[in-house]
Amino acid sequence: MLRAADIGLGAGLAALVLATGFLRVGPSGPSGALDLGAVALAAVAGAGVASRRRLPLACLLLLNLVTFAWFHLDYHGRLITVAPLIGCYTLAAYRGLIAGVAGGLLAAVTTVLAVRTGVNGEWFGDQVFNAVTLEAAAVALGGAVRYHQAFAAGAREQAERIAEATSEQARRQAAEERLEIARELHDVFGHTMAAISVQAGVAVHVMHRKPEQASEALNTIKRISDEGLAEVQVLLRAMRSPDMRTATGGLDRLENLLDTAGVDVELTVHGEDRTVPVAVDVAAFRIIQESLTNVRRHARASTVQVELDYGSREGGTLRIAVRDDGRPVDAATAVGGHGIEGMRARAAKLGGTLRAGRRPEGGFEVHCTLPTGKEIQ
Protein backbone atom coordinates (compact mmCIF):
# COMPACT_ATOMS: atom_id res chain seq x y z
CA MET A 1 0.00 0.00 0.00
CA LEU A 2 1.35 3.39 -1.04
CA ARG A 3 2.08 5.97 1.60
CA ALA A 4 0.10 9.19 1.59
CA ALA A 5 3.36 11.18 1.55
CA ASP A 6 4.56 9.32 -1.58
CA ILE A 7 1.24 9.87 -3.34
CA GLY A 8 1.36 13.55 -2.42
CA LEU A 9 4.94 13.87 -3.72
CA GLY A 10 4.06 12.19 -7.03
CA ALA A 11 0.93 14.27 -7.51
CA GLY A 12 2.78 17.46 -6.56
CA LEU A 13 5.58 16.77 -9.05
CA ALA A 14 3.13 16.06 -11.86
CA ALA A 15 1.18 19.25 -11.11
CA LEU A 16 4.38 21.31 -10.94
CA VAL A 17 5.65 19.98 -14.28
CA LEU A 18 2.33 20.69 -16.01
CA ALA A 19 1.87 24.12 -14.39
CA THR A 20 5.34 25.35 -15.39
CA GLY A 21 4.77 23.92 -18.88
CA PHE A 22 1.43 25.64 -19.44
CA LEU A 23 2.69 28.90 -17.95
CA ARG A 24 6.02 28.59 -19.79
CA VAL A 25 8.11 29.36 -16.73
CA GLY A 26 11.03 27.57 -15.16
CA PRO A 27 14.48 26.51 -16.46
CA SER A 28 15.04 26.49 -20.20
CA GLY A 29 14.55 23.27 -22.14
CA PRO A 30 12.12 22.02 -24.75
CA SER A 31 9.79 24.82 -25.88
CA GLY A 32 6.84 23.04 -27.54
CA ALA A 33 3.22 23.28 -26.46
CA LEU A 34 1.66 20.81 -24.02
CA ASP A 35 -1.17 18.46 -25.05
CA LEU A 36 -2.86 15.36 -23.68
CA GLY A 37 0.36 13.43 -24.26
CA ALA A 38 2.19 15.78 -21.88
CA VAL A 39 -0.55 15.32 -19.28
CA ALA A 40 -0.22 11.54 -19.66
CA LEU A 41 3.57 11.64 -19.30
CA ALA A 42 3.33 13.86 -16.23
CA ALA A 43 0.78 11.48 -14.69
CA VAL A 44 3.03 8.48 -15.38
CA ALA A 45 5.97 10.34 -13.83
CA GLY A 46 3.86 11.11 -10.74
CA ALA A 47 2.80 7.47 -10.45
CA GLY A 48 6.42 6.33 -10.79
CA VAL A 49 7.53 8.69 -8.03
CA ALA A 50 4.68 7.53 -5.79
CA SER A 51 5.60 3.85 -6.31
CA ARG A 52 9.38 4.22 -6.15
CA ARG A 53 9.81 2.65 -2.67
CA ARG A 54 8.18 -0.64 -3.70
CA LEU A 55 9.93 -1.01 -7.08
CA PRO A 56 12.89 1.39 -7.09
CA LEU A 57 14.71 -0.02 -10.14
CA ALA A 58 11.61 -0.43 -12.31
CA CYS A 59 10.39 3.05 -11.37
CA LEU A 60 13.78 4.58 -12.23
CA LEU A 61 13.68 2.96 -15.67
CA LEU A 62 10.14 4.26 -16.18
CA LEU A 63 11.08 7.78 -15.08
CA ASN A 64 14.06 7.82 -17.48
CA LEU A 65 11.79 6.76 -20.34
CA VAL A 66 9.28 9.48 -19.44
CA THR A 67 12.06 12.09 -19.37
CA PHE A 68 13.43 10.98 -22.73
CA ALA A 69 9.92 11.03 -24.26
CA TRP A 70 9.24 14.48 -22.81
CA PHE A 71 12.36 15.92 -24.45
CA HIS A 72 11.82 13.99 -27.70
CA LEU A 73 8.24 15.27 -28.02
CA ASP A 74 9.42 18.82 -27.27
CA TYR A 75 7.08 19.53 -24.37
CA HIS A 76 7.90 22.79 -22.65
CA GLY A 77 9.96 22.79 -19.44
CA ARG A 78 12.82 20.86 -17.90
CA LEU A 79 11.43 20.11 -14.44
CA ILE A 80 10.51 16.61 -15.63
CA THR A 81 14.18 15.75 -14.98
CA VAL A 82 13.48 16.00 -11.22
CA ALA A 83 11.68 12.65 -11.46
CA PRO A 84 14.81 10.61 -12.37
CA LEU A 85 16.73 12.42 -9.61
CA ILE A 86 14.18 11.17 -7.07
CA GLY A 87 14.46 7.71 -8.62
CA CYS A 88 18.28 7.72 -8.30
CA TYR A 89 18.08 8.76 -4.66
CA THR A 90 15.51 6.08 -3.84
CA LEU A 91 17.45 3.30 -5.60
CA ALA A 92 20.64 4.14 -3.68
CA ALA A 93 18.77 4.48 -0.37
CA TYR A 94 16.85 1.20 -0.68
CA ARG A 95 19.15 -1.02 -2.75
CA GLY A 96 22.60 0.22 -1.81
CA LEU A 97 25.26 2.49 -3.26
CA ILE A 98 26.31 0.10 -6.06
CA ALA A 99 22.76 -0.16 -7.37
CA GLY A 100 22.45 3.61 -6.99
CA VAL A 101 25.60 4.25 -9.04
CA ALA A 102 24.32 1.93 -11.78
CA GLY A 103 21.00 3.76 -11.80
CA GLY A 104 22.81 7.11 -11.85
CA LEU A 105 24.84 6.07 -14.88
CA LEU A 106 21.63 5.02 -16.65
CA ALA A 107 20.04 8.37 -15.81
CA ALA A 108 23.15 10.18 -17.05
CA VAL A 109 23.05 8.36 -20.40
CA THR A 110 19.35 9.13 -20.71
CA THR A 111 20.01 12.80 -19.96
CA VAL A 112 22.76 13.05 -22.56
CA LEU A 113 20.56 11.45 -25.23
CA ALA A 114 17.54 13.55 -24.29
CA VAL A 115 19.48 16.81 -24.43
CA ARG A 116 21.19 15.85 -27.67
CA THR A 117 18.08 14.67 -29.54
CA GLY A 118 15.44 16.86 -27.87
CA VAL A 119 16.99 20.32 -27.83
CA ASN A 120 20.01 19.80 -30.09
CA GLY A 121 22.32 20.50 -27.19
CA GLU A 122 26.00 19.67 -27.05
CA TRP A 123 27.09 16.22 -25.98
CA PHE A 124 28.98 17.60 -23.00
CA GLY A 125 27.51 21.09 -22.68
CA ASP A 126 26.39 22.93 -19.56
CA GLN A 127 22.96 21.32 -19.57
CA VAL A 128 24.42 17.82 -19.59
CA PHE A 129 27.06 18.70 -17.00
CA ASN A 130 24.50 20.22 -14.62
CA ALA A 131 22.14 17.27 -14.98
CA VAL A 132 24.85 14.66 -14.41
CA THR A 133 26.12 16.56 -11.37
CA LEU A 134 22.63 16.59 -9.84
CA GLU A 135 22.21 12.87 -10.53
CA ALA A 136 25.55 12.11 -8.84
CA ALA A 137 24.49 14.20 -5.83
CA ALA A 138 21.17 12.33 -5.62
CA VAL A 139 22.98 8.97 -5.66
CA ALA A 140 25.44 10.13 -2.99
CA LEU A 141 22.63 11.41 -0.79
CA GLY A 142 20.72 8.15 -1.12
CA GLY A 143 23.84 6.15 -0.26
CA ALA A 144 24.45 8.30 2.81
CA VAL A 145 20.87 7.79 3.97
CA ARG A 146 21.18 4.02 3.55
CA TYR A 147 24.45 4.00 5.52
CA HIS A 148 22.85 6.04 8.30
CA GLN A 149 19.85 3.69 8.45
CA ALA A 150 22.12 0.64 8.61
CA PHE A 151 24.22 2.27 11.33
CA ALA A 152 21.11 3.21 13.34
CA ALA A 153 19.70 -0.31 12.97
CA GLY A 154 22.99 -1.79 14.16
CA ALA A 155 23.07 0.60 17.11
CA ARG A 156 19.51 -0.33 18.06
CA GLU A 157 20.30 -4.03 17.81
CA GLN A 158 23.40 -3.59 19.95
CA ALA A 159 21.44 -1.57 22.50
CA GLU A 160 18.80 -4.31 22.64
CA ARG A 161 21.49 -6.96 23.16
CA ILE A 162 23.09 -4.88 25.92
CA ALA A 163 19.71 -4.31 27.57
CA GLU A 164 18.92 -8.03 27.40
CA ALA A 165 22.33 -8.94 28.82
CA THR A 166 21.93 -6.36 31.59
CA SER A 167 18.47 -7.67 32.43
CA GLU A 168 19.77 -11.24 32.53
CA GLN A 169 22.67 -10.19 34.72
CA ALA A 170 20.28 -8.38 37.08
CA ARG A 171 18.09 -11.49 37.32
CA ARG A 172 21.12 -13.65 37.98
CA GLN A 173 22.39 -11.25 40.64
CA ALA A 174 18.98 -11.20 42.32
CA ALA A 175 18.91 -15.00 42.34
CA GLU A 176 22.40 -15.15 43.83
CA GLU A 177 21.48 -12.51 46.41
CA ARG A 178 18.38 -14.43 47.46
CA LEU A 179 20.41 -17.62 47.68
CA GLU A 180 22.87 -15.82 49.93
CA ILE A 181 20.01 -14.57 52.08
CA ALA A 182 18.61 -18.10 52.28
CA ARG A 183 22.00 -19.29 53.52
CA GLU A 184 22.04 -16.45 56.02
CA LEU A 185 18.60 -17.48 57.22
CA HIS A 186 19.87 -21.02 57.64
CA ASP A 187 22.79 -19.75 59.73
CA VAL A 188 20.57 -17.51 61.84
CA PHE A 189 18.12 -20.31 62.59
CA GLY A 190 20.92 -22.77 63.24
CA HIS A 191 22.90 -20.57 65.61
CA THR A 192 19.82 -19.19 67.37
CA MET A 193 18.27 -22.59 67.92
CA ALA A 194 21.58 -24.03 69.12
CA ALA A 195 22.01 -21.21 71.65
CA ILE A 196 18.42 -21.55 72.85
CA SER A 197 18.86 -25.30 73.22
CA VAL A 198 21.99 -24.86 75.34
CA GLN A 199 20.38 -22.21 77.56
CA ALA A 200 17.20 -24.25 77.90
CA GLY A 201 19.27 -27.23 79.00
CA VAL A 202 20.97 -25.10 81.60
CA ALA A 203 17.61 -23.83 82.87
CA VAL A 204 16.22 -27.35 83.19
CA HIS A 205 19.37 -28.52 84.95
CA VAL A 206 19.43 -25.76 87.60
CA MET A 207 15.73 -24.98 87.84
CA HIS A 208 15.26 -26.57 91.29
CA ARG A 209 18.73 -26.22 92.76
CA LYS A 210 19.63 -22.69 91.59
CA PRO A 211 16.49 -20.79 90.53
CA GLU A 212 18.45 -17.55 89.97
CA GLN A 213 20.60 -19.25 87.30
CA ALA A 214 17.49 -20.68 85.69
CA SER A 215 16.01 -17.18 85.52
CA GLU A 216 19.21 -15.88 83.95
CA ALA A 217 19.15 -18.67 81.37
CA LEU A 218 15.53 -17.88 80.49
CA ASN A 219 16.33 -14.20 80.09
CA THR A 220 19.20 -15.17 77.81
CA ILE A 221 16.84 -17.33 75.77
CA LYS A 222 14.46 -14.37 75.40
CA ARG A 223 17.25 -12.05 74.32
CA ILE A 224 18.62 -14.53 71.81
CA SER A 225 15.11 -15.20 70.47
CA ASP A 226 14.38 -11.48 70.06
CA GLU A 227 17.67 -10.87 68.29
CA GLY A 228 17.21 -13.87 66.01
CA LEU A 229 13.62 -12.87 65.20
CA ALA A 230 14.69 -9.30 64.36
CA GLU A 231 17.39 -10.58 62.03
CA VAL A 232 14.98 -13.01 60.35
CA GLN A 233 12.55 -10.13 59.77
CA VAL A 234 15.30 -8.13 58.09
CA LEU A 235 16.17 -11.01 55.79
CA LEU A 236 12.55 -11.79 54.92
CA ARG A 237 11.88 -8.13 54.15
CA ALA A 238 14.90 -8.15 51.87
CA MET A 239 13.70 -11.25 50.04
CA ARG A 240 10.36 -9.56 49.36
CA SER A 241 12.03 -6.37 48.14
CA PRO A 242 11.99 -5.89 44.32
CA ASP A 243 15.46 -4.40 44.54
CA MET A 244 17.77 -6.50 46.68
CA ARG A 245 20.30 -3.67 46.89
CA THR A 246 17.88 -1.24 48.53
CA ALA A 247 16.59 -3.50 51.28
CA THR A 248 17.58 -2.26 54.73
CA GLY A 249 17.02 -3.26 58.30
CA GLY A 250 20.21 -4.18 60.10
CA LEU A 251 22.07 -0.91 60.45
CA ASP A 252 18.75 0.92 60.78
CA ARG A 253 18.51 -0.70 64.22
CA LEU A 254 22.03 0.26 65.25
CA GLU A 255 20.92 3.10 67.54
CA ASN A 256 18.68 0.73 69.50
CA LEU A 257 21.52 -1.75 69.78
CA LEU A 258 23.89 0.88 71.16
CA ASP A 259 21.29 2.09 73.66
CA THR A 260 21.03 -1.40 75.13
CA ALA A 261 24.73 -2.27 74.97
CA GLY A 262 25.21 -1.96 78.74
CA VAL A 263 28.24 0.32 78.29
CA ASP A 264 28.82 3.90 77.11
CA VAL A 265 29.13 3.80 73.30
CA GLU A 266 30.28 6.63 71.06
CA LEU A 267 29.16 6.26 67.44
CA THR A 268 31.05 8.01 64.62
CA VAL A 269 29.93 7.85 60.97
CA HIS A 270 32.19 8.94 58.11
CA GLY A 271 31.25 9.41 54.49
CA GLU A 272 27.78 9.45 53.00
CA ASP A 273 25.41 7.28 54.99
CA ARG A 274 23.61 5.23 52.39
CA THR A 275 21.90 1.92 51.68
CA VAL A 276 24.18 -1.09 51.32
CA PRO A 277 23.39 -4.58 50.01
CA VAL A 278 21.28 -6.52 52.46
CA ALA A 279 23.93 -9.18 53.07
CA VAL A 280 26.41 -6.45 54.05
CA ASP A 281 23.74 -4.66 56.09
CA VAL A 282 23.01 -7.76 58.17
CA ALA A 283 26.67 -8.79 58.48
CA ALA A 284 27.75 -5.31 59.63
CA PHE A 285 25.02 -5.18 62.25
CA ARG A 286 25.82 -8.70 63.44
CA ILE A 287 29.56 -7.99 63.72
CA ILE A 288 28.95 -4.83 65.77
CA GLN A 289 26.44 -6.69 67.91
CA GLU A 290 28.82 -9.55 68.65
CA SER A 291 31.71 -7.16 69.28
CA LEU A 292 29.65 -5.26 71.86
CA THR A 293 28.57 -8.55 73.43
CA ASN A 294 32.23 -9.56 73.78
CA VAL A 295 33.01 -6.18 75.33
CA ARG A 296 30.13 -6.48 77.80
CA ARG A 297 30.95 -10.04 78.78
CA HIS A 298 34.71 -10.15 78.73
CA ALA A 299 36.45 -6.79 78.38
CA ARG A 300 35.03 -4.90 81.40
CA ALA A 301 35.39 -1.65 79.45
CA SER A 302 34.08 1.72 80.51
CA THR A 303 33.70 3.19 77.03
CA VAL A 304 33.43 1.81 73.49
CA GLN A 305 33.96 3.61 70.17
CA VAL A 306 32.01 2.35 67.16
CA GLU A 307 33.06 3.80 63.83
CA LEU A 308 31.37 3.37 60.43
CA ASP A 309 33.11 4.63 57.29
CA TYR A 310 31.02 4.43 54.11
CA GLY A 311 33.68 6.15 52.02
CA SER A 312 32.66 7.41 48.57
CA ARG A 313 30.06 5.85 46.32
CA GLU A 314 32.83 4.76 43.98
CA GLY A 315 34.85 3.23 46.82
CA GLY A 316 32.59 0.26 47.28
CA THR A 317 33.75 -0.54 50.86
CA LEU A 318 32.13 -0.26 54.29
CA ARG A 319 34.66 -0.08 57.14
CA ILE A 320 33.70 -0.94 60.70
CA ALA A 321 35.78 -0.40 63.83
CA VAL A 322 34.83 -1.26 67.40
CA ARG A 323 37.37 -0.09 70.02
CA ASP A 324 37.20 -0.40 73.82
CA ASP A 325 39.41 0.55 76.74
CA GLY A 326 39.00 -2.70 78.65
CA ARG A 327 41.09 -5.82 78.85
CA PRO A 328 41.81 -7.83 75.65
CA VAL A 329 39.29 -10.41 74.47
CA ASP A 330 40.39 -13.78 73.18
CA ALA A 331 38.54 -15.77 70.54
CA ALA A 332 35.81 -16.57 73.00
CA THR A 333 32.20 -17.24 72.29
CA ALA A 334 29.73 -14.48 71.49
CA VAL A 335 26.01 -14.56 70.87
CA GLY A 336 25.13 -17.77 69.10
CA GLY A 337 28.60 -19.20 69.60
CA HIS A 338 30.26 -17.18 66.82
CA GLY A 339 33.11 -15.47 68.64
CA ILE A 340 35.83 -13.59 66.80
CA GLU A 341 36.42 -16.48 64.42
CA GLY A 342 32.74 -16.49 63.59
CA MET A 343 32.82 -12.77 62.78
CA ARG A 344 35.90 -13.28 60.64
CA ALA A 345 34.17 -16.08 58.72
CA ARG A 346 31.08 -13.90 58.23
CA ALA A 347 33.21 -11.13 56.71
CA ALA A 348 35.21 -13.53 54.54
CA LYS A 349 32.00 -14.99 53.09
CA LEU A 350 31.21 -11.56 51.63
CA GLY A 351 34.75 -11.01 50.34
CA GLY A 352 35.75 -8.80 53.27
CA THR A 353 38.33 -9.00 56.01
CA LEU A 354 38.29 -8.78 59.79
CA ARG A 355 41.15 -8.13 62.19
CA ALA A 356 40.92 -8.27 65.96
CA GLY A 357 43.64 -7.65 68.53
CA ARG A 358 45.07 -5.50 71.29
CA ARG A 359 45.54 -1.77 70.85
CA PRO A 360 48.97 -0.28 71.61
CA GLU A 361 47.39 2.26 73.94
CA GLY A 362 45.38 -0.43 75.69
CA GLY A 363 42.09 -2.09 75.10
CA PHE A 364 40.90 -4.13 72.17
CA GLU A 365 39.86 -3.36 68.59
CA VAL A 366 37.82 -5.16 65.94
CA HIS A 367 38.35 -3.75 62.44
CA CYS A 368 36.31 -5.05 59.50
CA THR A 369 36.00 -4.12 55.82
CA LEU A 370 33.05 -5.28 53.72
CA PRO A 371 32.69 -4.70 49.96
CA THR A 372 29.49 -2.90 48.98
CA GLY A 373 29.94 -2.32 45.25
CA LYS A 374 31.03 -4.34 42.23
CA GLU A 375 32.96 -6.77 44.39
CA ILE A 376 29.78 -8.50 45.58
CA GLN A 377 27.67 -8.13 42.44
Side-chain angles (χ1 to χ4, degrees):
M1 185 175 180
L2 298 180
R3 300 180 182 180
D6 292 336
I7 296 175
L9 179 61
L13 177 64
L16 181 63
V17 169
L18 292 175
T20 55
F22 280 117
L23 297 175
R24 293 187 172 274
V25 295
S28 60
S31 56
L34 272 59
D35 54 19
L36 291 179
V39 175
L41 287 177
V44 171
V49 168
S51 306
R52 71 194 188 281
R53 297 180 191 270
R54 301 178 61 183
L55 300 169
L57 180 58
C59 288
L60 177 60
L61 293 174
L62 177 63
L63 295 174
N64 280 317
L65 289 176
V66 169
T67 300
F68 183 83
W70 185 276
F71 274 74
H72 183 72
L73 296 175
D74 195 30
Y75 292 133
H76 184 274
R78 204 170 68 190
L79 289 182
I80 193 65
T81 57
V82 174
L85 294 179
I86 297 175
C88 289
Y89 162 82
T90 303
L91 184 62
Y94 282 80
R95 294 294 184 268
L97 187 59
I98 296 178
V101 170
L105 291 175
L106 175 62
V109 171
T110 303
T111 299
V112 172
L113 293 177
V115 170
R116 179 62 181 172
T117 60
V119 294
N120 295 320
E122 300 179 0
W123 284 104
F124 301 103
D126 291 342
Q127 290 178 324
V128 171
F129 177 80
N130 293 336
V132 171
T133 301
L134 290 174
E135 287 156 359
V139 170
L141 180 60
V145 169
R146 181 175 178 81
Y147 173 79
H148 173 74
Q149 291 173 342
F151 178 81
R156 284 194 301 270
E157 183 178 355
Q158 183 178 10
E160 291 173 357
R161 288 198 302 267
I162 293 175
E164 183 178 355
T166 302
S167 177
E168 178 62 27
Q169 183 181 13
R171 288 193 296 268
R172 185 167 57 251
Q173 289 175 355
E176 293 173 354
E177 189 76 14
R178 284 183 167 85
L179 178 60
E180 182 63 30
I181 293 175
R183 292 170 180 161
E184 188 72 24
L185 276 172
H186 176 272
D187 291 345
V188 170
F189 277 119
H191 293 305
T192 302
M193 292 301 103
I196 290 175
S197 177
V198 170
Q199 296 297 329
V202 171
V204 170
H205 182 70
V206 301
M207 182 176 296
H208 299 293
R209 291 180 298 173
K210 298 180 180 181
E212 68 280 359
Q213 291 187 9
S215 176
E216 181 181 351
L218 291 175
N219 288 329
T220 301
I221 289 175
K222 183 180 184 304
R223 188 183 71 254
I224 294 173
S225 300
D226 291 342
E227 292 172 351
L229 180 60
E231 190 166 349
V232 168
Q233 289 174 343
V234 171
L235 294 170
L236 291 178
R237 186 161 63 249
M239 293 187 74
R240 297 189 186 103
S241 174
D243 186 355
M244 303 295 294
R245 295 186 61 80
T246 62
T248 60
L251 293 177
D252 281 353
R253 298 183 291 120
L254 185 57
E255 293 289 347
N256 293 335
L257 174 64
L258 301 184
D259 290 340
T260 59
V263 65
D264 291 336
V265 181
E266 177 185 347
L267 174 63
T268 305
V269 179
H270 300 287
E272 182 181 357
D273 190 355
R274 64 183 187 277
T275 300
V276 296
V278 62
V280 175
D281 183 66
V282 172
F285 178 83
R286 198 65 165 163
I287 289 171
I288 296 173
Q289 181 186 52
E290 293 175 3
S291 298
L292 293 176
T293 301
N294 277 346
V295 171
R296 183 175 63 249
R297 289 185 173 181
H298 308 290
R300 298 178 183 174
S302 59
T303 60
V304 179
Q305 294 178 338
V306 176
E307 183 176 338
L308 290 177
D309 186 355
Y310 288 91
S312 63
R313 285 189 177 274
E314 295 76 14
T317 301
L318 172 64
R319 293 178 176 84
I320 305 165
V322 181
R323 307 180 185 93
D324 66 72
D325 58 359
R327 70 181 184 180
V329 179
D330 58 13
T333 59
V335 174
H338 278 285
I340 294 175
E341 290 303 319
M343 291 188 289
R344 184 176 289 114
R346 185 185 290 271
K349 185 167 61 175
L350 296 175
T353 60
L354 184 140
R355 302 191 310 272
R358 298 182 180 183
R359 302 170 61 196
E361 61 272 25
F364 197 79
E365 177 178 10
V366 174
H367 187 276
C368 177
T369 60
L370 298 173
T372 62
K374 296 180 179 179
E375 295 88 340
I376 64 169
Q377 294 182 3

